[in-house]
């Protein structure tokens, strides 16, 4: 598949994630962020495992656990904690520095030195997102800021390690996504039950919301995201991240009646322009994800 099509398909992941806030506030029980994270990750992971019918083997048990913790198990709770403790939009602003973190981690772990254009584009993307989502509020919460920064570091490190480790030969992105979602969901489960207690009573509206989050918003979206990491550079993928808060702003305007100011529209144009500019990658396509040191598919355990 040519790169423009790959970029567009990968972009569907952050666009889908941008609908999470509206679905959560309009369809789901209030104040159950960890239960929501659990119902997003674990059922989606188990479903993909059932479809792929491939389990990790050897060192990949540990690698899948690490990636699942970084991309899901630690990222979800930290993100929710920051969103609850910080004033409106601040968590998204901290998250928008992800492209800069990925560029730095790529230099250390992948040997890919960031260009001046990449750094400038990352700064413009973060500034544009701040114009869209940042609202006047009171004093910042130190724990919330630390959680927001930790969630961004976690997802950025997960993205770069996913690129560095690749996939075992013969194992596709569907199985890799299932491994990570399952591992991450299992990490979230005890935290959710300890902090929030038993699952809430669900009506038909909530069940529909959870089904959407688990299937489209998580199973499909994360499969597209990890598939994109295998075909694009880590920096290109992470520059698609600002599409999430931009989508949330558009959904809030279109579905929830939230107004968009001229400053927000200017910020959306700036962030979207930076996202497009961030897709200017190397002339040659990155090598497909594969780890030649790992046995081929036939040596993997099938469920």
């Amino acid at each position: 598949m040519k790169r423009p099509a790959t970029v567009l398909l990968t972009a569907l992941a952050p666009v889908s994630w941008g609908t999470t806030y509206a679905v959560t506030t309009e369809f789901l029980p209030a104040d159950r962020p960890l239960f929501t994270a659990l119902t997003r990750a674990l059922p989606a992971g188990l479903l993909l495992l059932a479809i792929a019918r491939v389990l990790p083997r050897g060192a990949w048990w540990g690698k899948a656990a690490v990636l699942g913790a970084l991309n899901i198990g630690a990222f979800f709770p930290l993100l929710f904690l920051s969103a609850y403790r910080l004033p409106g939009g601040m968590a998204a602003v901290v998250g928008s520095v992800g492209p800069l973190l990925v560029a730095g981690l790529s230099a250390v772990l992948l040997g890919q030195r960031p260009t001046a254009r990449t750094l400038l584009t990352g700064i413009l993307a973060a500034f544009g997102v701040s114009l869209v989502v940042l609202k006047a509020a009171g004093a910042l919460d130190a724990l919330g800021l630390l959680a927001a920064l930790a969630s961004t570091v976690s997802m950025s490190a997960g993205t770069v390690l996913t690129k560095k480790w690749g996939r075992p030969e013969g194992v596709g992105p569907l199985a890799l996504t299932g491994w990570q979602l399952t591992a991450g969901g299992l990490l979230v489960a005890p935290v959710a039950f300890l902090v929030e207690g038993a699952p809430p009573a669900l009506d038909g509206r909530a069940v529909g919301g959870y089904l959407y989050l688990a299937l489209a918003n998580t199973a499909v979206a994360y499969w597209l995201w990890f598939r994109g990491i295998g075909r694009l550079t880590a920096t290109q993928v992470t520059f698609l991240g600002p599409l999430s808060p931009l989508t949330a702003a558009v959904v809030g305007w279109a579905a929830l009646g939230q107004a968009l100011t001229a400053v927000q529209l200017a910020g959306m144009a700036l962030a979207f322009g930076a996202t497009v500019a961030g897709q200017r990658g190397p002339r040659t396509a990155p090598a497909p994800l594969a780890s030649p040191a790992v046995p081929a598919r036939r040596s993997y355990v099938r469920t």
Side-chain angles (χ1 to χ4, degrees):
M1 181 179 292
K2 295 183 178 179
R3 197 179 71 180
T6 300
V7 170
L8 289 175
L9 284 175
T10 308
L12 292 177
V15 167
S16 173
W17 297 334
T19 67
T20 303
Y21 175 79
V23 172
T24 301
T25 56
E26 298 300 311
F27 291 88
L28 305 184
D31 301 325
R32 303 304 296 264
L34 293 176
F35 178 76
T36 298
L38 173 60
T39 56
R40 284 183 65 188
L42 191 55
L46 293 175
L47 174 64
L48 295 186
L49 284 182
I51 295 173
R53 300 181 61 199
V54 179
L55 293 176
R57 183 183 175 93
W60 267 97
W61 283 103
K63 290 182 178 181
V66 170
L67 294 177
L70 292 172
N71 290 317
I72 309 295
F75 174 70
F76 278 2
L78 289 168
L79 181 65
F80 282 125
L81 177 61
S82 65
Y84 270 80
R85 297 186 68 96
L86 291 179
M90 179 56 71
V93 172
V94 177
S96 67
V97 304
L100 296 175
L101 287 175
V102 167
L105 289 171
S106 294
V108 175
L109 299 177
L110 304 179
Q112 299 174 355
R113 295 180 59 185
T115 64
R117 177 179 59 81
T118 296
L119 298 177
L120 177 60
T121 304
I123 293 172
L124 291 176
F127 181 65
V129 169
S130 70
L131 294 180
V132 175
V133 302
L134 197 57
K135 301 176 183 179
L140 296 179
D141 180 84
L143 179 59
L145 279 175
L146 287 175
L149 181 59
S151 70
T152 305
V153 171
S154 180
M155 186 66 166
S156 300
T159 298
V160 175
L161 282 179
T162 300
K163 186 68 181 178
K164 178 179 177 63
W165 287 341
R167 294 192 305 268
E169 186 178 349
V171 173
L174 194 71
L176 181 66
T177 305
W179 297 350
Q180 295 188 52
L181 288 173
T182 302
L186 291 174
L187 287 175
V188 172
V191 179
F193 288 114
L194 285 173
V195 174
E196 297 179 350
L202 304 179
D203 57 15
R205 188 177 180 87
V207 170
Y210 282 124
L211 284 174
Y212 166 77
L213 290 181
L215 298 177
N217 189 266
T218 302
V220 174
Y222 272 95
W223 168 65
L224 290 173
W225 185 253
F226 293 128
R227 175 182 176 276
I229 293 176
R231 297 166 184 248
L232 304 169
T233 68
T235 303
Q236 285 176 304
V237 173
T238 197
F239 263 112
L240 296 173
L243 293 176
S244 181
L246 298 186
T247 301
V250 171
V251 171
W253 167 75
L256 305 180
Q258 299 172 354
L260 287 174
T261 67
V263 171
Q264 286 178 302
L265 292 173
M268 292 175 70
L270 182 60
F272 184 77
T275 296
V276 173
Q279 300 314 305
R280 291 182 57 188
R283 294 180 181 274
T284 58
L289 285 177
S291 178
V294 182
R297 184 187 184 105
R298 58 184 174 82
S299 64
Y300 274 68
V301 180
R302 287 188 165 271
T303 58

